[in-house]
Amino acid sequence: MQEVKKTMKVKKGWLAVQVGLEEEDGGSRKFVIPISHLYHPLFGELLEKAREVFGYNTDGPLRLPCRVDDFLHLQWRIERESNSHRHHHHHLPIILSFHSC
């Protein structure tokens, strides 16, 4: 995952997302994430919340109603679980509690 500059193009297999809450210091930030993250149950919960808040029709990157710090933690959990599956370790519990996600 990486933060996106305005002129940066998104490569195949990746997706641009806009993360942040209006009341959050620094506003929202754009990130590029692997499309595979969309299929993870934790990310699915965040997508459902985005649908409830923003609806289905948006222009530009996918908007996620989540604090940037919480989103970064979510991404870390997904990547850590993906890495542990490759090494046949036990995966982390699915249940997470975020303040904003």
Side-chain angles (χ1 to χ4, degrees):
M1 176 189 58
Q2 60 186 15
E3 193 168 358
V4 178
K5 307 286 187 240
K6 284 190 175 195
T7 59
M8 188 176 198
K9 286 192 171 195
V10 178
K11 294 180 184 179
K12 185 176 181 175
W14 294 76
L15 174 72
V17 295
Q18 182 88 26
V19 179
L21 301 173
E22 290 180 13
E23 66 270 10
E24 188 174 14
D25 290 341
S28 62
R29 291 171 38 190
K30 289 182 183 175
F31 294 92
V32 175
I33 61 169
I35 287 176
S36 62
H37 285 199
L38 295 176
Y39 302 104
H40 192 281
L42 290 174
F43 206 89
E45 293 176 27
L46 183 54
L47 289 174
E48 179 60 27
K49 186 170 183 178
R51 185 197 60 78
E52 291 171 6
V53 173
F54 302 118
Y56 286 112
N57 298 324
T58 62
D59 293 329
L62 176 63
R63 293 171 56 196
L64 301 175
C66 183
R67 288 183 48 229
V68 171
D69 288 344
D70 288 339
F71 175 76
L72 292 172
H73 182 77
L74 175 73
Q75 291 300 107
W76 173 81
R77 290 284 305 262
I78 291 171
E79 289 173 15
R80 182 174 171 185
E81 187 173 313
S82 295
N83 289 337
S84 70
H85 279 238
R86 283 187 222 131
H87 300 294
H88 306 295
H89 295 141
H90 297 289
H91 62 82
L92 299 170
I94 294 295
I95 299 171
L96 265 185
S97 174
F98 290 115
H99 299 288
S100 66
C101 291

